[in-house]
Amino acid sequence: MKIIDLTHTISPDMPCFPGDESPRFESVSNYEKDGFKESLITISSHTGTHVDPPAHIFPNGRTLDSFSISQFVGKALVIDCRDVRDSIEIERVRRYGEKAILADFLLFNLGWDKRWGSENYFGDYPCISPEIIDFVKDTHKKGIGFDVISLDAIADSNLARHKALFQDTDILNFENLKNLALCGDDLFWFFALPLKLENCDGAPVRAIAFWE
């Protein structure tokens, strides 16, 4: 059995989407007074390595708690985009042939996790083309994922790719993954389980790659 952690650690000084509050950890009980330690944790639903459901964008979109647990587990394929400097085009996905069709999840490796914790993490990373979004819909993926902070460019306040992905689908979007370069170019098991929060528009996940 082989497992690779694809999840960034949540901490008060971690990168957050511009405008989001940083996580806060407050002690509410301690060993000396109470005999145990307990913390109050305050975070955005889109903190760190997390998942977006359609409810993130659309008022009537599906919320995380309404998905079957199987939606967060499946076979994944990493699409290596580390040499891409502009848009990620459909030809990049087609290089992987039938594996790209069979995968439940396509995870795009831009090598951006190496910039985690620096100002460069908020730079101009490449984004996927509309043709890739069409491919994801046509092949009925469970989800897509990225090692960058958003499916859209940070400057795109219209969130055009989020809207195109979530329009009339139940496909999930995972952001801020890491270690995708360690996953190879073949199919593997992907687990990315969120907390089961009621009516939620997103949640941090513990994402892993798994080989039996």
Side-chain angles (χ1 to χ4, degrees):
M1 181 174 67
K2 177 183 176 183
I3 299 175
I4 294 176
D5 192 357
L6 307 180
T7 313
H8 288 287
T9 300
I10 295 175
S11 66
D13 58 352
M14 70 187 296
C16 295
F17 195 84
D20 283 359
E21 292 188 15
S22 297
R24 297 196 303 276
F25 296 76
E26 303 172 50
S27 178
V28 294
S29 299
N30 59 63
Y31 304 119
E32 293 76 16
K33 178 184 175 183
D34 306 291
F36 60 91
K37 182 179 180 181
E38 186 174 1
S39 301
L40 174 65
I41 302 172
T42 305
I43 57 173
S44 160
S45 55
H46 298 265
T47 294
T49 306
H50 68 275
V51 58
D52 302 340
H56 179 42
I57 299 297
F58 294 114
N60 296 319
R62 193 169 179 183
T63 58
L64 275 183
D65 56 310
S66 67
F67 282 91
S68 164
I69 193 67
S70 64
Q71 186 77 19
F72 306 97
V73 177
K75 290 289 189 173
L77 179 70
V78 170
I79 307 297
D80 190 348
C81 304
R82 287 174 290 179
D83 62 331
V84 176
R85 296 294 175 265
D86 210 357
S87 175
I88 303 170
E89 301 297 333
I90 188 61
E91 288 73 20
R92 179 69 50 155
V93 175
R94 287 176 177 154
R95 291 181 185 182
Y96 293 83
E98 187 179 16
K99 290 185 288 188
I101 298 173
L102 294 175
D104 300 305
F105 301 90
L106 294 182
L107 309 179
F108 293 84
N109 173 24
L110 285 73
W112 223 254
D113 57 328
K114 305 303 181 188
R115 306 181 186 214
W116 183 260
S118 74
E119 285 298 318
N120 289 334
Y121 194 71
F122 301 94
D124 293 327
Y125 46 80
C127 295
I128 58 173
S129 67
E131 289 75 20
I132 291 180
I133 293 178
D134 289 341
F135 176 85
V136 167
K137 290 183 171 184
D138 291 343
T139 53
H140 307 290
K141 301 299 182 223
K142 291 183 178 181
I144 56 175
F146 304 86
D147 59 1
V148 297
I149 203 163
S150 178
L151 166 59
D152 284 289
I154 292 177
D156 184 7
S157 59
N158 189 47
L159 301 175
R161 292 173 182 82
H162 279 83
K163 290 177 179 176
L165 178 68
F166 292 141
Q167 184 70 53
D168 302 321
T169 74
D170 287 331
I171 298 171
L172 299 169
N173 174 50
F174 298 86
E175 296 169 340
N176 293 323
L177 294 166
K178 73 170 190 175
N179 288 335
L180 294 179
L182 303 179
C183 295
D185 59 1
D186 209 345
L187 294 168
F188 59 91
W189 282 103
F190 177 66
F191 295 75
L193 306 180
L195 293 175
K196 195 172 183 180
L197 304 172
E198 186 177 16
N199 295 326
C200 202
D201 54 80
V205 300
R206 188 63 184 264
I208 65 168
F210 175 83
W211 292 261
E212 297 180 82

